[in-house]
């Protein structure tokens, strides 16, 4: 199954508005119409409108880093999926910082996933184990629990959903997984999806690796048969580095 690689840039809570506009313009110059990969830029919520303006008409898509599951109402500070329509096309759900800094549960992830799909947006579902879970041999059980929880009540694997396998110990630490381990874990995710749904939808699903990806190690991940792109944090704030990462996935 040929899967188009998808490269996501998660800016997290970084950039002033002026910095964001400059980076967006730089990314447009570098990456617009790059063939063979899908590029998604996820700036902070405050700059999503700027991203839609600067990247409008280009091949670069805009993603949100988070969403709330209710469509509207008295939820001060939250942004709903219907509100994102028109600015973002993708939404990261279940990022480890949401899970471990803000205490989001698998149930919350499930509700967000449903809200994003209902709004016609495309989820990037992030999963991954903590260091102590990896060291305790629990990686597969954790991934299985996160996948089971996220898809509670789903009859089918949504077609335009990306799964980002991001070991928590590799995020923002500079300690990326080896290309071999990342490939093995992404294959594990695909196996779990096959068991939960079916082989053909799991085979069609794009699975990213995330965790300290940079311009130097991206090619190793690109070589993995089950690695269909990367989710990039720190290096996505550097236009040249992000361009190099995207180009590493161009066949
Ligand atoms: C991330 O934020 O999803 C991430 C993988 O961060 P970093 O690339 O900085 O490790």
């Amino acid at each position: 199954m040929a899967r188009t690689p998808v490269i996501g840039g998660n800016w997290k809570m970084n950039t002033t508005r002026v910095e964001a506009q400059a980076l967006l313009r730089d990314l447009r110059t570098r990456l617009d119409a790059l063939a063979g990969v899908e590029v998604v830029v996820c700036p902070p919520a405050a700059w999503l409108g700027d991203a839609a303006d600067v990247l409008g008409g280009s091949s670069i898509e805009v993603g949100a880093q988070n969403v709330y599951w209710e469509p509207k109402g008295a939820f001060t500070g939250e942004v709903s999926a219907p509100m994102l329509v028109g600015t973002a096309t993708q939404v990261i759900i279940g990022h480890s910082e949401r899970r471990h800094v803000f205490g989001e549960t698998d149930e919350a992830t499930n509700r967000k996933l449903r809200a994003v799909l209902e709004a016609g947006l495309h989820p990037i579902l992030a999963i991954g184990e903590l260091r102590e879970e990896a060291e305790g041999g629990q990686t597969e059980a954790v991934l299985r629990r996160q996948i089971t929880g996220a898809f509670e009540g789903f009859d089918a694997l949504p077609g335009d959903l990306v799964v980002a396998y991001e070991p928590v110990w590799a995020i923002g630490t500079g300690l990326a997984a080896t290309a071999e381990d990342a490939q093995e874990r992404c294959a594990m995710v695909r196996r779990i999806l096959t068991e939960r749904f079916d082989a053909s939808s799991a085979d069609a699903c794009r699975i990213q690796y995330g965790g300290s990806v940079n311009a130097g190690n991206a090619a190793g991940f690109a070589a993995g048969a089950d690695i269909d792109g990367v989710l990039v944090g720190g290096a996505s704030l550097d236009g040249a580095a992000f361009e190099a990462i995207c180009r590493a996935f161009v066949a």
Side-chain angles (χ1 to χ4, degrees), residues 209-239:
Y209 165 75
S212 297
V213 175
N214 59 42
N217 63 17
F221 298 120
D226 286 283
I227 302 178
D228 310 311
V230 282
L231 186 55
V232 185
S236 71
L237 293 165
D238 176 328

Side-chain angles (χ1 to χ4, degrees), residues 16-230:
T16 64
R17 187 176 186 198
V18 169
E19 289 167 347
Q21 288 170 331
L23 181 53
L24 289 163
R25 281 194 293 269
D26 184 40
L27 292 174
R28 181 171 183 138
T29 304
R30 292 175 182 278
L31 295 169
D32 183 24
L34 182 64
V37 291
E38 189 178 334
V39 179
V40 185
V41 172
C42 306
W47 317 142
L48 282 171
D50 290 296
D53 289 345
V54 174
L55 299 177
S58 80
S59 63
I60 304 169
E61 294 162 77
V62 177
Q65 299 174 15
N66 186 31
V67 72
Y68 190 59
W69 56 76
E70 293 291 348
K72 63 178 182 176
F75 303 103
T76 301
E78 295 293 339
V79 175
S80 76
M83 288 173 179
L84 294 174
V85 173
T87 49
T89 53
Q90 329 273 330
V91 186
I92 301 172
I93 296 172
H95 189 276
S96 75
E97 286 145 23
R98 299 304 316 170
R99 294 177 190 266
H100 300 297
V101 179
F102 298 100
E104 283 186 9
T105 60
D106 289 325
E107 192 202 337
T109 303
N110 174 262
R111 297 175 86 156
K112 291 183 176 198
L113 198 50
R114 289 169 182 279
V116 165
L117 291 163
E118 235 163 71
L121 301 170
H122 307 306
I124 300 171
L125 171 65
I127 57 174
E129 81 285 0
L130 296 163
R131 173 173 295 284
E132 55 268 32
E133 292 168 335
E135 288 172 353
Q138 294 163 19
T139 298
E140 181 159 4
V142 170
L143 298 180
R144 197 176 290 281
R145 189 203 75 222
Q146 291 175 336
I147 288 172
T148 303
F151 293 112
E152 177 69 40
F154 279 64
D155 293 332
L157 180 61
D160 227 335
L161 174 141
V162 171
V163 177
Y165 165 63
E166 300 203 291
V168 180
W169 47 268
I171 297 179
T173 60
L175 300 170
T178 64
E180 294 71 25
D181 285 350
Q183 159 56 28
E184 196 254 320
R185 299 296 152 83
C186 288
M188 180 185 283
V189 170
R190 200 177 304 284
R191 210 163 50 241
I192 296 169
L193 290 173
T194 301
E195 288 162 20
R196 172 61 181 82
F197 295 103
D198 58 82
S200 76
S201 53
D203 194 38
C205 182
R206 291 180 294 175
I207 301 174
Q208 296 172 316
Y209 165 75
S212 297
V213 175
N214 59 42
N217 63 17
F221 298 120
D226 286 283
I227 302 178
D228 310 311
V230 282

